[in-house]
Amino acid sequence: MKEKETVQTNMPTEQDASREYAVRLAKVEAMRAAGIEPWPLSRDVSATAENVINEFESRAEAKEYSVAGRIMTMREHGKSIFVNIQDMTGRLQVYIKQDVIGDVAFDQFKKYIDLGDIVWFRGTSFKTRTGEITIRAEEFTLLSKCLHPLPEKFHGLTDVETIYRQRYLDLITNQESRERFVKRSLIIRTMRNYFDDNGFIEVETPMLHAIPGGAAAKPFVTHHNALDIDLYLRIAPELFLKRLVVGGLERVYEINRNFRNEGISTRHNPEFTMAEFYIAHHDYKYMMDFVENMFREIVKATTGALQVPFADGVIDYEKPFTRISMQDSVIKIGGLSEDDVKPANIDATLKRLKVPHDPKSAWGYKLVALFDELVEKKLIQPTFITDYPAEISPLTKRDPHNPKFVPRFELFIAGMEISNGYSELNEPFEQAACFREQAQARTEGDDEAHYYDADYVLALEHALPPTTGAGIGIDRFAMLLSNTQSIKDVILFPTLRPKD
């Protein structure tokens, strides 16, 4: 008898999907009429697909298991059926033979079980003539009926809109996507271990802020009814974490969500994950060393190498990361001269290069505009850009010997900012003055300027020790280590425009 294979050959059309849904609903009614529950209580599972395969390969002996997974393929051949089930660890073949499982059970399987159903099996492992490790089923139970057809077998889910809106379908059908999110989890776990090994403690700080702060960004606003006050989803945990350093928690970190009311792109999502951390009695140079070493450890643990493919090239995390000041980068990498970036000439340079800017803004903002236009996208290998203009860094400690610049860095890889850090401003009077300048900028229309935070100034008046801090964008880091070009592919449920 010719073998009959049941697979989904393409993403079903809306009409086909509707027809299939009706067929499966009818099966549910028939099952219940026959006394079979399509969504019963759970059954004990003794092994995963990976366990079964690994144990047989290491011992080459049969063993009884109970396993469960989603039916991904089904091949009927007379009085036998081969199915592939999928669980979190991978896929496993199950052999259903009529004279082993019994006529009634075999007929029920053929009549009621579809691709996508989650089924429990009890049986014994063996190896087929083609060398595939398989479970010979002696008993089965439908655990959960799938009412919709799955995307096609061979190429997985390819419609980008559906991938992001129905991530569960992407995870069911796309092994590469599952592996990407497993790697993301490993990145975070390795990072936590690194912090813990270096004497940090993990904390949680508020998501709802009465005064948004810690970054230059436009916040989301909500309202608390009981207190009758507006609150803001946090744009950064910085000011709360530094309060903890004032309190004596001298090595502290948090891995959590930030929210910024900004545009959406391949590198930006309004809701994103950051690791932010602070170390007392050190400066930004120490922090650069710390970040660089941590990156190497995480990269090695998650990819097995220090040279990692990304886009059309390879990122080398083994070589010492380049360190160059922002002004020097504009000259040496951006191709400008020292005269081009002098305060008297920078407006003409910006105009000649057609770089959008506000002529009334301070020189530092204009330097950053040139950097963004001429340098950032060229920073492919890991590069620390240092010595930022003072006016764009209101939370950074000032260098009395170099007042135009502050001890700050940003780490760029593959043209993306991955980390930002600096020596923290701990002088309360200077911090208050910076807040006042930022508050004035807000009144003049800058929605991303900082608010005046009197409570934070009060905390500084209780003495923040010399401290350095940094943040790392987890989503972009995951992009780099999984060779992914869009941030939406490393966020399980990215922000999307609602369907009409």
Side-chain angles (χ1 to χ4, degrees):
M1 182 177 291
K2 187 177 179 180
E3 183 178 285
K4 176 183 175 184
E5 182 173 17
T6 303
V7 298
Q8 195 71 37
T9 58
N10 209 332
M11 188 65 189
T13 65
E14 189 173 335
Q15 185 177 11
D16 290 341
S18 179
R19 188 183 300 117
E20 177 70 12
Y21 181 70
V23 168
R24 295 190 182 201
L25 280 181
K27 289 186 180 182
V28 168
E29 293 178 4
M31 290 177 70
R32 283 179 165 158
I36 303 170
E37 173 53 50
W39 294 278
L41 297 175
S42 64
R43 299 289 300 268
D44 288 339
V45 172
S46 67
T48 65
E50 184 178 61
N51 293 150
V52 174
I53 293 169
N54 288 346
E55 287 188 10
F56 196 96
E57 287 180 339
S58 63
R59 298 180 183 178
E61 62 182 31
K63 182 178 176 180
E64 184 175 280
Y65 297 95
S66 56
V67 296
R70 188 181 297 273
I71 303 291
M72 300 303 294
T73 66
M74 189 183 305
R75 304 189 312 279
E76 182 181 344
H77 187 72
K79 296 184 178 182
S80 63
I81 301 171
F82 284 92
V83 300
N84 270 291
I85 63 170
Q86 177 173 287
D87 64 14
M88 186 174 178
T89 65
R91 293 192 181 188
L92 177 67
Q93 182 168 265
V94 179
Y95 177 48
I96 304 154
K97 202 167 187 300
Q98 185 171 350
D99 59 5
V100 173
I101 204 168
D103 294 342
V104 173
F106 190 80
D107 289 342
Q108 287 179 344
F109 193 95
K110 291 177 61 176
K111 184 176 182 180
Y112 297 128
I113 302 302
D114 293 299
L115 295 180
D117 290 353
I118 297 175
V119 181
W120 176 91
F121 295 95
R122 180 182 60 81
T124 304
S125 60
F126 74 103
K127 183 178 284 189
T128 66
R129 284 178 293 180
T130 60
E132 186 165 358
I133 297 166
T134 303
I135 292 290
R136 180 182 287 106
E138 299 170 17
E139 180 185 2
F140 85 91
T141 298
L142 173 64
L143 294 180
S144 188
K145 185 68 183 171
C146 179
L147 299 179
H148 297 272
L150 297 179
E152 62 111 336
K153 168 190 173 188
F154 294 104
H155 299 101
L157 187 59
T158 57
D159 179 72
V160 172
E161 182 79 3
T162 306
I163 285 173
Y164 299 145
R165 291 191 185 278
Q166 295 178 269
R167 180 66 80 183
Y168 48 89
L169 289 180
D170 177 43
L171 295 173
I172 289 170
T173 60
N174 189 339
Q175 182 178 353
E176 182 181 347
S177 183
R178 291 196 303 276
E179 290 174 351
R180 187 183 306 126
F181 287 106
V182 169
K183 181 172 287 186
R184 179 191 168 108
S185 177
L186 180 56
I187 289 169
I188 295 172
R189 184 163 70 249
T190 307
M191 183 177 287
R192 277 198 166 96
N193 291 339
Y194 190 86
F195 284 133
D196 294 344
D197 291 344
N198 281 275
F200 284 74
I201 65 166
E202 184 174 12
V203 298
E204 294 175 292
T205 61
M207 290 288 185
L208 292 175
H209 291 187
I211 299 174
K218 186 177 181 179
F220 288 95
V221 187
T222 186
H223 188 79
H224 190 277
N225 292 332
L227 295 177
D228 193 24
I229 57 171
D230 284 341
L231 293 171
Y232 303 87
L233 291 180
R234 79 169 183 201
I235 56 177
E238 176 169 344
L239 301 186
F240 282 95
L241 290 172
K242 287 193 285 193
R243 286 172 169 91
L244 298 180
V245 180
V246 171
L249 304 183
E250 295 182 343
R251 290 191 173 219
V252 63
Y253 78 97
E254 181 172 10
I255 301 175
N256 221 320
R257 293 298 181 91
N258 292 345
F259 307 85
R260 297 180 186 178
N261 200 347
E262 58 187 16
I264 296 174
S265 72
T266 57
R267 298 181 176 186
H268 295 87
N269 193 68
E271 176 183 4
F272 60 98
T273 304
M274 285 282 291
E276 194 153 327
F277 45 102
Y278 292 85
I279 306 172
H281 306 296
H282 288 287
D283 65 6
Y284 82 119
K285 292 180 181 178
Y286 177 91
M287 183 58 85
M288 280 192 283
D289 292 337
F290 184 90
V291 169
E292 184 170 341
N293 291 333
M294 178 166 62
F295 267 54
R296 286 201 187 94
E297 185 160 318
I298 294 171
V299 170
K300 184 70 173 178
T302 55
T303 70
L306 289 173
Q307 291 74 35
V308 181
F310 186 79
D312 297 326
V314 174
I315 307 298
D316 190 346
Y317 295 91
E318 188 169 16
K319 293 180 181 177
F321 294 5
T322 299
R323 302 184 185 193
I324 184 172
S325 72
M326 177 175 281
Q327 184 167 343
D328 285 347
S329 75
V330 170
I331 295 168
K332 296 178 180 179
I333 300 172
L336 298 181
S337 68
E338 291 186 16
D339 284 342
D340 286 333
V341 298
K342 286 181 178 178
N345 302 326
I346 197 167
D347 282 316
T349 303
L350 287 160
K351 185 176 181 181
R352 171 168 56 85
L353 296 173
K354 299 180 180 179
V355 178
H357 69 288
D358 180 0
K360 299 177 183 177
S361 63
W363 175 82
Y365 289 96
K366 296 172 184 178
L367 181 66
V368 170
L370 288 172
F371 171 83
D372 292 344
E373 179 70 20
L374 302 176
V375 180
E376 183 172 343
K377 59 182 175 290
K378 298 178 181 178
L379 302 177
I380 305 304
Q381 297 303 322
T383 303
F384 286 111
I385 299 296
T386 65
D387 303 327
Y388 274 62
E391 51 264 44
I392 71 164
S393 308
L395 298 171
T396 310
K397 194 174 186 67
R398 272 45 177 167
D399 182 349
H401 305 294
N402 193 10
K404 282 180 63 176
F405 300 99
V406 292
R408 174 182 173 185
F409 69 83
E410 287 186 346
L411 174 62
F412 290 85
I413 306 174
M416 296 187 291
E417 179 209 336
I418 306 299
S419 179
N420 178 30
Y422 39 84
S423 296
E424 305 297 329
L425 177 55
N426 63 341
E427 209 265 46
F429 306 113
E430 191 172 348
Q431 182 64 81
C434 288
F435 277 156
R436 284 193 291 270
E437 290 175 7
Q438 290 284 304
Q440 179 62 33
R442 288 193 61 80
T443 63
E444 295 172 358
D446 184 353
D447 291 338
E448 295 188 351
H450 292 249
Y451 288 67
Y452 189 95
D453 191 335
D455 183 72
Y456 178 68
V457 173
L458 177 61
L460 293 186
E461 290 177 350
H462 287 80
L464 172 68
T467 297
T468 181
I472 295 173
I474 299 296
D475 308 304
R476 291 183 181 180
F477 198 9
M479 288 173 63
L480 289 171
L481 300 191
S482 61
N483 197 5
T484 302
Q485 308 305 308
S486 174
I487 199 169
K488 291 180 181 179
D489 290 326
V490 296
I491 296 176
L492 282 167
F493 300 101
T495 304
L496 302 171
R497 187 184 299 277
K499 276 189 171 182
D500 294 335

